[in-house]
Amino acid sequence: MITHYEDTEINTFFSQLINLKQNGSMMDHIDEFQKLNIRVKCISEENRIDVFIGTLKDNIQHDVHLWEPDSLEKAFKLARKIERKIMETRKPTTHNYKDGSVVVPSLPQPTRLTSQKLEEKREKGICYSCDRKYTKGHKCVEKKLFYIDCEEEEEKEQEM
């Protein structure tokens, strides 16, 4: 009777292991995988590697599989490296996700400069954007969107 229940328990852990899917970070996933993996006795290292790779997110799974790791530790290391690479190359999102809803950040409105304001700033030698002294290689401290309105000058040129 004990043997019967032991087998069922092992099969339950094996079922949980093969049905595991990565949802969070790689470190959390490896921890979950290892908790189940140490309880499953009857599978080879090669099969453990295949099962682990099969539990990864698709974009990581493909790359780890291409490297053909020959140990579970190498598969873990590769998966962590690939996740790190993906996270480093990912562009920051323009949305903030809160409570399942999408909140679009408020974007600054562009500053509108007329030809008259442009001329005033040129005479004073100040930056068009930040109103500080303009010198070669100047960089504004605060980055903002900036719009120069040159319609008046274009109209005068067309009239001539």
Side-chain angles (χ1 to χ4, degrees):
M1 193 162 159
I2 292 172
T3 307
H4 174 71
Y5 286 111
E6 266 184 3
D7 288 341
T8 304
E9 189 174 305
I10 290 170
N11 286 335
T12 301
F13 290 129
F14 181 72
S15 296
Q16 290 175 8
L17 185 65
I18 63 173
N19 289 315
L20 184 67
K21 281 292 176 196
Q22 181 188 359
N23 294 321
S25 73
M26 186 58 64
M27 291 303 292
D28 291 341
H29 180 67
I30 291 172
D31 287 345
E32 281 184 64
F33 184 87
Q34 284 291 62
K35 285 176 188 173
L36 295 169
N37 183 43
I38 60 173
R39 299 186 128 179
V40 177
K41 308 288 183 209
C42 305
I43 61 173
S44 67
E45 176 80 357
E46 188 177 313
N47 287 336
R48 289 177 197 276
I49 296 165
D50 287 340
V51 169
F52 172 69
I53 293 171
T55 65
L56 299 173
K57 292 179 181 175
D58 292 340
N59 57 342
I60 297 173
Q61 185 182 110
H62 176 74
D63 288 349
V64 173
H65 185 71
L66 286 175
W67 283 94
E68 299 178 353
D70 57 2
S71 74
L72 199 51
E73 285 303 314
K74 285 182 183 177
F76 292 161
K77 188 175 181 179
L78 270 170
R80 286 190 299 264
K81 282 183 176 182
I82 291 166
E83 181 187 54
R84 198 173 315 120
K85 181 182 175 190
I86 290 169
M87 296 305 284
E88 287 171 1
T89 58
R90 183 177 286 169
K91 293 180 181 176
T93 180
T94 57
H95 295 90
N96 294 326
Y97 296 96
K98 243 185 197 177
D99 304 323
S101 62
V102 178
V103 180
V104 180
S106 59
L107 299 173
Q109 293 301 311
T111 304
R112 185 179 182 131
L113 293 178
T114 61
S115 56
Q116 184 181 12
K117 286 182 184 176
L118 276 173
E119 193 57 42
E120 288 174 15
K121 288 181 181 252
R122 267 191 216 117
E123 288 172 4
K124 293 177 183 176
I126 59 176
C127 175
Y128 297 144
S129 183
C130 68
D131 292 334
R132 292 191 180 158
K133 179 88 173 139
Y134 182 82
T135 58
K136 186 175 180 179
H138 170 79
K139 289 186 180 179
C140 299
V141 176
E142 182 185 338
K143 295 182 180 188
K144 59 184 178 179
L145 190 57
F146 179 23
Y147 173 71
I148 299 174
D149 186 1
C150 296
E151 289 180 21
E152 294 173 19
E153 289 180 16
E154 289 175 7
E155 288 174 10
K156 289 178 185 175
E157 287 176 11
Q158 287 177 358
E159 288 174 4
M160 292 181 170

